[in-house]
């Protein structure tokens, strides 16, 4: 499915029939619909009788094989964790059946080696083969260099569709071998049209998701309303940093949070956006991420100095860089919350 805000991009891609380069890099914020567009383009490239609107027919042998997940010339390269979530549902945490060990969130070099072997032979059904690699930034240097060899000497009739929300994390040589397509964020009118068909509480989740409709919908499906209510309640008064750190540690390890995929990275991201709204209000700006909590945020902004609010934002931005691999979760939370509590209790100047 192509989202309304990506229709112009889709029309441009379809218009390049027969002139597309061998490698495309789709770039944009999470929750825009990049993966869906890449999958739709892959379906079109493999389809035997594309429709007038550019979409795959859904009826030919190639479409039937692809939809059944066994097209011999279609390769989807994703992290093991993402593959598990696709099979079990996006709101199901990935883990192995035996011990609950988390699957890899990286695209590993063995996957690229398997792809190289598969592409070394001619196509099974037609001259066209398609590789969708998502997210491209999930490759480490060794994996990326292995892929680079394929991009430098692409097999005949093979199209590579790379999807990325963080293109700067890709090797420059990877980016240089691809034609980059930047996906626009939906404008105010498009967001309003999308919200018209959604529940009332979706407006707050859409703002928290940075205006990304699909990210907001995924958050809602994962119990985002309840998670957001608790987050706001915990930060609205004078937080006891040490006590709250203990509560948040238990929260992150709870069945509720695990089932929702609500981890430390998301929590720190929310903290940064919460403080960003306080800073904005303190400087005379508007609330961006938490519009429904503007009164609470205004009260907090009134208690903080500009220096304290700005310093707190910068500190949490630094903390966020190491949120994926904290050495000690409890100490990490205590440090973050003590910085926040210090800013809230600081004198206003």
């Amino acid at each position: 499915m192509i989202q309304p805000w990506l229709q112009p991009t889709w029309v441009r891609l379809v218009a390049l029939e027969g002139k597309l380069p061998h490698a495309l890099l789709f770039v944009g914020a999470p929750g825009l619909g990049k993966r869906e567009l890449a999958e739709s383009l892959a379906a079109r490239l493999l389809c035997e009788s594309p429709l007038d609107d550019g979409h795959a027919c859904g009826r030919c042998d190639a479409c039937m094989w692809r939809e059944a997940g066994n097209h011999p010339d279609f390769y989807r390269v994703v992290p093991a964790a993402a593959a598990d979530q696709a099979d079990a549902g996006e709101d199901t945490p990935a883990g192995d059946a035996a011990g609950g060990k988390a699957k890899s969130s990286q695209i590993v070099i063995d996957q690229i080696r398997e792809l190289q072997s598969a592409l070394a032979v001619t196509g099974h059904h037609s001259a066209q083969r398609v590789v969708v690699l998502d997210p491209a930034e999930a490759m480490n240097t060794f994996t990326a260099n292995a892929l680079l060899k394929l991009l430098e000497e692409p097999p005949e009739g093979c199209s590579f569709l790379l999807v990325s929300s963080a293109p700067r994390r890709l090797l420059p040589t990877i980016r240089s071998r691809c034609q980059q397509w930047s996906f626009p964020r939906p404008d105010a009118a498009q967001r309003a049209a999308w919200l018209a068909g959604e529940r009332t509480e979706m407006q707050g989740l859409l703002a928290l998701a940075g205006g990304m409709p699909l990210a907001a919908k995924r958050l809602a499906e994962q119990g985002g309303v309840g998670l957001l209510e608790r987050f706001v309640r915990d930060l609205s008064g004078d937080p006891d940093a040490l006590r709250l750190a203990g509560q948040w540690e238990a929260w992150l390890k709870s069945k509720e949070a695990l089932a929702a995929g609500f981890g430390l990275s998301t929590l720190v991201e929310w903290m940064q956006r919460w403080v960003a709204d306080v800073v904005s209000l303190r400087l005379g700006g508007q609330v961006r991420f938490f519009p429904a909590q503007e009164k609470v945020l205004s009260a907090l902004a009134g208690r903080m100095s500009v220096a304290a609010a700005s310093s707190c934002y910068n500190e949490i931005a630094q903390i966020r860089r190491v949120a994926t691999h904290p050495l000690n979760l409890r100490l990490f939370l205590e440090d973050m919350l003590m910085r926040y509590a210090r800013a809230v209790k600081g004198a206003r100047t």
Side-chain angles (χ1 to χ4, degrees), residues 94-102:
D96 64 23
K101 182 180 179 181

Side-chain angles (χ1 to χ4, degrees), residues 69-103:
N70 55 14
H71 195 296
D73 299 320
F74 179 47
Y75 308 91
R76 187 181 288 110
V77 183
V78 299
D84 277 5
Q85 290 169 347
D87 292 338
E90 288 185 352
D91 57 345
T92 303
D96 64 23
K101 182 180 179 181
K103 298 289 187 178

